Amino acid sequence: MEETAQLKIGDKVYELPIIEGTENEKAIDISALRGQSGLITIDPGYKNTGSTKSAITFLDGEKGILRYRGYSIEELAEKSTFLEVSHLLIYGELPNAETLNSFRKDITQHTLIHEDIKNILEGFPSNSHPMGVLSSLVSSLTAFYPESLDPNRSVAEVDLSIKRLLAKLPTMAAWAYKNEIGHPANYPDNRLDYCSNFLKMMFAVPSADYEVDPVVANALDKLLILHADHEQNCSTSTVRIVGSSHSSLYASVAAGIGALWGPLHGGANQAVIEMLQNIKKDGGDVKKYMAKAKDKNDPFRLMGFGHRVYKNFDPRATIIKKAADDVLAQLGVNDPILEIAKGLEEIALNDPYFIERKLYPNVDFYSGIIYRAIGIPTSMFTVMFTIGRLPGWIAQWKEMRENKEPIGRPRQVYTGMNLRPFVALDKR
Ligand code: SDX
């Protein structure tokens, strides 16, 4: 017997079906509500509204659980690699050795980007934020691969677009960084693994040899795994809704980059470090900044704290916090802002304002500490988030297309002027 919810409006009662997911999450299906009652629901920020059913990532915000295709983030971060996790998210299964090798080869052969992209880069002033450059470069792939414009082409052709994007994003990201600092771009070195190739493109200079430090490459690989997907967050919802109009994968991901850039979302990792540096510059008085974070009249927020879903510890923050200690110790780096971060966390976790609002460190609170330790500049932090989140965006876009979901078009409640006659200019 199907479970239903009853909604009483006036003297009428409407029965709405309740659906249940594989982790016993329940939802009221309101897809027939307007047809039956003439009413819609409204939910600013979609805090209580599901946009889709998905088999990719499971979050439990109260228990601090995060799983990709059923595998726990703790196990994947510890035992897997970013390319394996990318395959898992996009195709649904961990690859065996043969499949992984073929996947890796497919991606490696597409790491080069068209030389004309240098002309596009030259159009950007050298201090351009890399996120704006990256969004443009991803969008430019529609020009170099016009066949990608049609998302309804064969599975093989869509798969080629997917692998091209996974392969080229690190190259474009590194070129955006080199453009920002006015250095010559490095070409990919396909002898290297995914993360080592990126690091070499980022940091190699013509005047010296560059050897990738395996500690740095491993730390980066773990960080990318931790950022790879996160169900229907702001940027993923953006990728899905742009893709729902049958816009191409590249155009959908370019839009997702724009959404991730915001300081309330992926841009928070850059904002956290800038906040910690400001606190250090201001004498390290964490109590003063905690008071500012709680002051409703002060726009200051404790960046890297709070989350729409996690009302307990973000499991990624737990892993990253430990990794920060390990990586800095392995690299012999002593970063005073790590101590400031830990001091803020200690105070926040014992402060009624944060406890009542269930505000815990999120994925962005400690990630920047590791990025700094491995030499990634602050302006590139959200680009790193983009590289990590790409397989998740691709998986979610692909699922939406395979499920033939309708174009996303929310309703609204109009609160403007009622009908009024036009007034001629000389009468206004
Ligand atoms: C990411 O959705 C995802 O999954 C995102 C992400 C992913 O992997 O894709 O996890 C990545 O975006 C992580 C979040 C990074 N953003 C930040 O660290 C920015 C700081 N955090 C906040 O701006 C905020 O916590 C959000 C945006 C993350 C969540 O905002 P919500 O769910 O809309 O909550 P809210 O703004 O309504 O806050 C509820 C209360 C408010 O106080 P009251 O009005 O109830 O008195 O908590 C307060 C807020 O003022 N609050 C904070 C705070 N975050 C929320 N107060 C001080 N400092 C903060 N950081």
Side-chain angles (χ1 to χ4, degrees):
M1 169 78 169
E2 183 187 58
E3 192 180 359
T4 62
Q6 291 191 339
L7 182 61
K8 190 172 184 305
I9 303 172
D11 55 2
K12 281 196 173 177
V13 176
Y14 300 91
E15 296 268 337
L16 297 165
I18 288 179
I19 65 165
E20 184 168 347
T22 52
E23 287 290 340
N24 310 317
E25 297 166 302
K26 292 188 176 182
I28 302 169
D29 179 347
I30 59 168
S31 44
L33 177 64
R34 189 170 185 276
Q36 290 175 7
S37 71
L39 273 71
I40 62 166
T41 59
I42 192 158
D43 183 19
Y46 310 112
K47 296 189 175 187
N48 306 280
T49 299
S51 59
T52 190
K53 291 182 271 192
S54 176
I56 299 169
T57 292
F58 172 66
L59 298 189
D60 181 318
E62 281 65 34
K63 295 180 187 148
I65 291 172
L66 170 57
R67 298 185 198 137
Y68 297 158
R69 301 281 189 183
Y71 295 97
S72 76
I73 193 63
E74 290 80 7
E75 279 214 279
L76 291 171
E78 185 60 38
K79 301 171 184 171
S80 191
T81 65
F82 179 61
L83 272 195
E84 268 194 356
V85 166
S86 297
H87 186 282
L88 171 67
L89 286 167
I90 295 169
Y91 303 105
E93 294 298 337
L94 282 170
N96 60 28
E98 186 190 344
T99 312
L100 178 61
N101 200 30
S102 153
F103 184 61
R104 181 184 293 115
K105 270 169 59 185
D106 285 351
I107 286 172
T108 301
Q109 71 179 358
H110 290 292
T111 51
L112 201 56
I113 55 181
H114 198 290
E115 279 294 298
D116 285 356
I117 283 186
K118 283 187 175 170
N119 303 332
I120 301 172
L121 274 174
E122 277 158 21
F124 282 96
S126 63
N127 61 350
S128 302
H129 195 291
M131 282 295 275
V133 175
L134 191 60
S135 177
S136 304
L137 296 189
V138 168
S139 199
S140 79
L141 293 176
T142 55
F144 295 105
Y145 305 101
E147 68 281 7
S148 68
L149 285 172
D150 177 3
N152 301 308
R153 293 177 76 112
S154 70
V155 170
E157 287 175 298
V158 170
D159 201 51
L160 177 56
S161 293
I162 287 172
K163 284 166 180 166
R164 276 179 171 146
L165 188 51
L166 284 166
K168 296 178 191 304
L169 192 74
T171 310
M172 293 190 285
W175 283 27
Y177 169 57
K178 289 298 198 183
N179 177 67
E180 184 191 11
I181 60 173
H183 278 196
N186 290 314
Y187 289 96
D189 178 346
N190 289 340
R191 295 164 300 179
L192 301 174
D193 63 59
Y194 198 80
C195 287
S196 300
N197 181 29
F198 172 71
L199 290 165
K200 186 173 179 185
M201 289 189 286
M202 277 284 287
F203 299 120
V205 288
S207 50
D209 291 337
Y210 176 81
E211 277 300 309
V212 177
D213 180 337
V215 170
V216 172
N218 289 335
L220 179 55
D221 197 83
K222 185 190 285 269
L223 280 170
L224 296 182
I225 290 172
L226 292 166
H227 285 81
D229 193 53
H230 215 240
E231 54 131 280
Q232 306 311 315
N233 58 83
C234 177
S235 53
T236 299
S237 300
T238 301
V239 170
R240 284 184 85 122
I241 202 164
V242 171
S244 74
S245 72
H246 289 199
S247 193
S248 70
L249 174 65
Y250 300 152
S252 305
V253 167
I257 293 172
L260 187 71
W261 195 357
L264 294 190
H265 190 15
N269 57 14
Q270 175 174 345
V272 167
I273 293 298
E274 290 165 351
M275 171 187 76
L276 294 171
Q277 287 172 322
N278 288 339
I279 293 172
K280 179 171 177 290
K281 208 163 29 179
D282 190 23
D285 180 358
V286 288
K287 288 194 169 58
K288 168 181 166 187
Y289 284 86
M290 289 305 291
K292 285 169 63 69
K294 298 189 290 187
D295 178 356
K296 285 295 162 220
N297 300 317
D298 190 325
F300 176 80
R301 280 204 156 185
L302 194 56
M303 302 310 278
F305 258 76
H307 198 276
R308 173 63 55 77
V309 175
Y310 289 123
K311 299 310 173 191
N312 196 319
F313 245 84
D314 180 335
R316 302 166 298 176
T318 307
I319 298 168
I320 293 174
K321 181 181 176 184
K322 176 162 184 330
D325 282 328
D326 296 346
V327 170
L328 268 67
Q330 287 165 340
L331 295 175
V333 169
N334 174 25
D335 187 348
I337 66 167
L338 175 57
E339 294 321 308
I340 293 177
K342 289 181 175 177
L344 272 175
E345 177 187 349
E346 181 64 30
I347 296 174
L349 296 185
N350 294 290
D351 184 294
Y353 172 94
F354 285 80
I355 294 169
E356 283 155 24
R357 292 167 179 79
K358 300 179 190 278
L359 301 176
Y360 292 88
N362 60 48
V363 67
D364 293 310
F365 190 61
Y366 284 106
S367 53
I369 305 278
I370 299 180
Y371 288 139
R372 270 163 61 94
I374 64 177
I376 305 283
T378 308
S379 64
M380 286 288 287
F381 283 10
T382 312
V383 170
M384 302 313 297
F385 198 143
T386 303
I387 296 172
R389 185 52 51 89
L390 180 61
W393 284 339
I394 291 171
Q396 298 272 350
W397 181 89
K398 182 169 174 283
E399 181 181 69
M400 178 271 306
R401 302 280 315 110
E402 286 166 352
N403 292 347
K404 297 184 173 28
E405 293 191 9
I407 185 169
R409 200 267 183 229
R411 291 282 183 151
Q412 66 161 29
V413 172
Y414 176 70
T415 56
M417 302 294 280
N418 299 116
L419 177 65
R420 50 180 173 164
F422 182 79
V423 178
L425 181 58
D426 59 1
K427 296 275 186 303
R428 291 177 205 159

